[in-house]
Amino acid sequence: MPSDPMPVNPRIHPNPTSIVIDKGAKPTVPLVPRNSSIPSDKGDVMGNNQPPFQQSLPPFRSLTRTPKRRSCCCRVICCILSLLLVFLLVIGILVLVFFLVFHPKVPNYSVDRLRITDFRLNLDLSLYARFNVRVTAKNPNKKIGIYYDKGGKMSVWYMKTRLCQGSFPAFYQGPLNTTATDVSLSGQNQYGKTLMQALQQQQQTGNIPLELKVDQPVSIRVQGIKLGKVRFLVNCKLTVDSLNSNNAISIKASNCNIRVKL
């Protein structure tokens, strides 16, 4: 008996009990419930619903006070700078008004006479000098008086070497006043022999350069009010013909400059 022929495309019906799993699909239900406390091989991973790294963090400290402190310091610094700026602005305005109203001018100085009463070489080869200088000061201001306070110094120099020194007298010079002052100077230099030789060689030319310096503290008087102190720094370049004692010394050239130091 001939056998039945086999079908060309047989159909395979799936088993109703088989499960097809798609590896690309995401599960919609977690395998382990989130609120469960199932232990694992490495410990309680999901216990108390807290990540494990939060347990090793140090306690949190509040830093809310630091910005307040910084803001207070900034406010104090800003207030100080503002007050300083206002103070400088007021001072500048007062100085500007003073210059516009009173037109202050520095005095004029001149060396009218120079006399040497003693100029000799001692036994210890030190040089002793004694000068007498007459200085004339002219106050060109119409509304400003000048107080020449105590502590003023005058000195005579030759080639950056001080020959003698004395005190400038204290007095008051009113507006548009001219005052002549005689000052006695004396001094001793230990390098007398070398200095004397240099002066003798210079004296042969008939032109001996000298320098007269004055450092004088003064106070300004305006409308009967005595203001703060300043310093007059006077520098006079002189050229004389000789340095012989008890002889008339001719001043060939004289040029005085003044600088005000606050």
Side-chain angles (χ1 to χ4, degrees):
M1 181 176 180
S3 59
D4 297 332
M6 293 182 65
V8 178
N9 292 322
R11 293 183 180 180
I12 301 173
H13 298 280
N15 190 357
T17 59
S18 63
I19 299 175
V20 179
I21 298 176
D22 188 1
K23 294 183 180 181
K26 296 183 179 179
T28 58
V29 181
L31 300 178
V32 180
R34 294 179 181 179
N35 295 327
S36 64
S37 59
I38 300 175
S40 63
D41 296 340
K42 297 183 180 180
D44 189 4
V45 179
M46 304 297 293
N48 298 327
N49 197 21
Q50 294 182 356
F53 66 90
Q54 293 185 357
Q55 297 179 0
S56 60
L57 292 176
F60 179 75
R61 296 182 180 180
S62 177
L63 300 177
T64 56
R65 294 183 179 180
T66 303
K68 293 183 179 180
R69 292 178 181 177
R70 291 180 180 177
S71 60
C72 292
C73 293
C74 292
R75 290 179 181 177
V76 172
I77 294 175
C78 291
C79 291
I80 294 175
L81 292 178
S82 300
L83 292 176
L84 182 60
L85 183 61
V86 172
F87 176 77
L88 294 177
L89 183 61
V90 172
I91 295 297
I93 293 175
L94 293 178
V95 171
L96 180 61
V97 172
F98 176 78
F99 273 86
L100 293 177
V101 174
F102 297 101
H103 304 285
K105 300 177 182 179
V106 295
N108 299 320
Y109 294 91
S110 63
V111 181
D112 299 334
R113 188 182 68 183
L114 176 63
R115 183 182 178 186
I116 300 177
T117 58
D118 197 353
F119 195 76
R120 53 186 166 83
L121 193 64
N122 297 324
L123 295 177
D124 58 353
L125 300 181
S126 63
L127 180 64
Y128 180 78
R130 187 176 182 88
F131 288 20
N132 186 275
V133 183
R134 173 171 288 182
V135 179
T136 300
K138 297 180 181 181
N139 183 8
N141 298 282
K142 297 180 180 180
K143 300 180 181 180
I144 299 176
I146 302 174
Y147 286 97
Y148 287 80
D149 300 326
K150 295 181 179 180
K153 299 294 182 181
M154 178 186 288
S155 57
V156 176
W157 297 69
Y158 170 73
M159 302 297 290
K160 298 183 180 180
T161 301
R162 188 174 63 188
L163 299 177
C164 52
Q165 181 178 345
S167 299
F168 201 84
F171 62 93
Y172 171 72
Q173 188 177 33
L176 300 177
N177 179 265
T178 301
T179 304
T181 305
D182 291 328
V183 184
S184 296
L185 312 173
S186 62
Q188 189 170 352
N189 192 288
Q190 60 180 350
Y191 304 103
K193 185 177 181 179
T194 303
L195 187 59
M196 180 65 78
Q197 292 176 355
L199 288 172
Q200 289 176 353
Q201 293 178 0
Q202 189 72 44
Q203 189 170 344
Q204 294 178 0
T205 64
N207 296 314
I208 303 176
L210 298 178
E211 189 173 2
L212 188 143
K213 297 181 180 180
V214 178
D215 186 355
Q216 176 64 43
V218 299
S219 300
I220 308 301
R221 181 179 178 180
V222 180
Q223 299 293 331
I225 301 176
K226 192 174 182 180
L227 302 180
K229 292 184 178 182
V230 296
R231 303 188 76 88
F232 284 170
L233 303 179
V234 184
N235 193 325
C236 296
K237 304 288 187 179
L238 306 176
T239 301
V240 299
D241 59 348
S242 67
L243 291 179
N244 295 326
S245 59
N246 298 323
N247 291 332
I249 297 176
S250 175
I251 301 177
K252 293 185 174 182
S254 175
N255 184 18
C256 296
N257 297 320
I258 182 173
R259 183 167 59 93
V260 180
K261 183 179 180 181
L262 301 179

